[in-house]
Amino acid sequence: MISRELRIVPTLLFVPTLLFVAAVATAGLLAQSSPLPNRSDSLKFAAMGDNGTGDRQQYEVAQQMAKVHATFPFDLVIMLGDNMYGGQTPGDFVKKFERPYAPLLAAGVKFQASIGNHDRPEQVSYKPYNMNGQRYYTYARNNVRFFALDSNRMDQKQIEWLDAALRNAREDWKICYFHHPLYSNASRHGSSVDLRVLLEPIFLKHGVNVVFSGHDHVYERMKPQKGIFYFVSGSAGQLRKGNMTSSDQTAAAFDRDQSFMVVEVAGAEMFFQAVSRTGETVDFGVIRRQPPPNE
């Protein structure tokens, strides 16, 4: 199992009616002077969930992503489900995906989707989502192994596949992402406890480092739960203003505007930044991976 150290990080915490700066003690986080180091040899990616509305706010978030990409050239976007709301005809795929993210697609950025409860099953065969017809799948980038899961239907076959895939992973970092959050303090949905019962023991057994989810239309970073870092980033299109509730599990949260995340993995460090629709940095920090004693 991976051990992690304790440091103090100043961070912004947003709750429905309060805005204040808090010094939050969270395991494995280190303070730094700028959100992302932007190193030439690092893995850079973005994370977004609940994006596919086709409305003005989605387009504005996409424009902000393109602005970030101009100076922080991520080549991967992990999609946390609810990739498309409402109609899902060929025209909707253009309006709700191909058109808003056209600058990123033209720059060669690869999108890797997971499926949400609003997504029709045939999305797995939509080529730009790079799911290759699979509800769940894995791939590696640099020293990171990603696992995209289908949290709509966590059947025994998927659980057995995940257990084996995690066991066989040799990369330094193991990152899982899927739609329904195991931990969330948003009042609309909150934690998917039944899913947590199924997945958390597997994550702990195989040393999963970080988990990304959507579903709740807010941004939230949890304090490490049993040593694992959890993020909810479900407001790249949809938003529920004032939906966050105060909890001692929450390290940082933002529910005033749409947002997305950018992440950089450089060796044993994972830098993260949450960015609002208007370009405001609403949270940032660093997770340091400590190798097991036998490495």
Side-chain angles (χ1 to χ4, degrees):
M1 186 59 64
I2 296 171
S3 62
R4 296 169 174 88
E5 62 185 18
L6 180 66
R7 298 289 179 90
I8 302 294
V9 180
T11 185
L12 292 177
L13 175 62
F14 295 85
V15 293
T17 58
L18 299 176
L19 169 60
F20 58 93
V21 177
V24 183
T26 53
L29 289 174
L30 309 174
Q32 83 278 2
S33 58
S34 62
L36 302 169
N38 204 4
R39 299 173 187 169
S40 60
D41 59 347
S42 63
L43 171 64
K44 303 173 181 69
F45 66 95
M48 66 176 186
D50 304 79
N51 53 288
T53 61
D55 62 16
R56 176 177 58 83
Q57 289 82 4
Q58 181 196 4
Y59 276 69
E60 290 173 347
V61 170
Q63 291 165 6
Q64 195 61 238
M65 292 174 71
K67 288 180 182 179
V68 171
H69 181 266
T71 57
F72 180 75
F74 57 86
D75 63 358
L76 169 67
V77 177
I78 64 172
M79 302 176 69
L80 310 178
D82 283 1
N83 311 308
M84 200 162 296
Y85 291 90
Q88 299 181 30
T89 66
D92 288 305
F93 279 93
V94 173
K95 178 183 179 182
K96 301 172 187 178
F97 180 76
E98 295 172 25
R99 191 175 296 148
Y101 306 113
L104 296 177
L105 291 165
V109 175
K110 189 172 185 178
F111 289 72
Q112 297 274 182
S114 63
I115 294 294
N117 55 288
H118 284 276
D119 297 320
R120 294 182 182 172
E122 54 267 30
Q123 283 193 18
V124 301
S125 299
Y126 178 54
K127 189 173 181 180
Y129 284 174
N130 292 292
M131 301 182 73
N132 297 316
Q134 303 298 316
R135 295 191 298 119
Y136 47 90
Y137 59 100
T138 182
Y139 58 97
R141 291 289 195 95
N142 293 13
N143 63 333
V144 180
R145 170 66 61 174
F146 291 92
F147 302 84
L149 307 181
D150 178 5
S151 58
N152 293 307
R153 183 158 58 96
M154 190 56 62
D155 52 25
Q156 189 61 33
K157 183 179 179 181
Q158 183 176 185
I159 290 172
E160 291 174 357
W161 171 87
L162 176 63
D163 185 62
L166 283 168
R167 182 175 62 250
N168 293 329
R170 296 295 177 261
E171 291 74 16
D172 295 332
W173 292 83
K174 297 176 182 179
I175 295 177
C176 294
Y177 64 96
F178 45 88
H179 188 58
H180 301 84
L182 303 194
Y183 292 92
S184 169
N185 290 294
S187 60
R188 177 64 176 87
H189 294 301
S191 301
S192 299
V193 178
D194 291 347
L195 191 64
R196 186 197 305 169
V197 170
L198 292 173
L199 292 181
E200 189 174 56
I202 301 173
F203 292 170
L204 293 171
K205 179 171 68 171
H206 296 298
V208 169
N209 306 95
V210 184
V211 176
F212 295 91
S213 298
H215 197 45
D216 273 314
H217 301 158
V218 299
Y219 168 78
E220 184 177 16
R221 170 167 57 89
M222 309 299 299
K223 296 176 184 178
Q225 302 298 309
K226 301 179 183 178
I228 300 175
F229 290 82
Y230 291 87
F231 293 89
V232 177
S233 187
S235 56
Q238 295 280 21
L239 175 68
R240 290 195 179 97
K241 286 187 177 181
N243 199 236
M244 285 302 305
T245 56
S246 180
S247 168
D248 60 5
Q249 292 180 329
T250 304
F254 180 70
D255 64 0
R256 300 186 311 181
D257 202 352
Q258 278 83 356
S259 65
F260 63 98
M261 293 183 68
V262 280
V263 182
E264 180 172 3
V265 181
E269 294 177 324
M270 191 189 93
F271 301 80
F272 61 88
Q273 180 183 9
V275 182
S276 79
R277 177 178 57 91
T278 59
E280 177 186 7
T281 294
V282 298
D283 186 32
F284 68 90
V286 184
I287 297 168
R288 171 165 287 173
R289 176 192 176 274
Q290 295 298 316
N294 59 351
E295 282 195 9

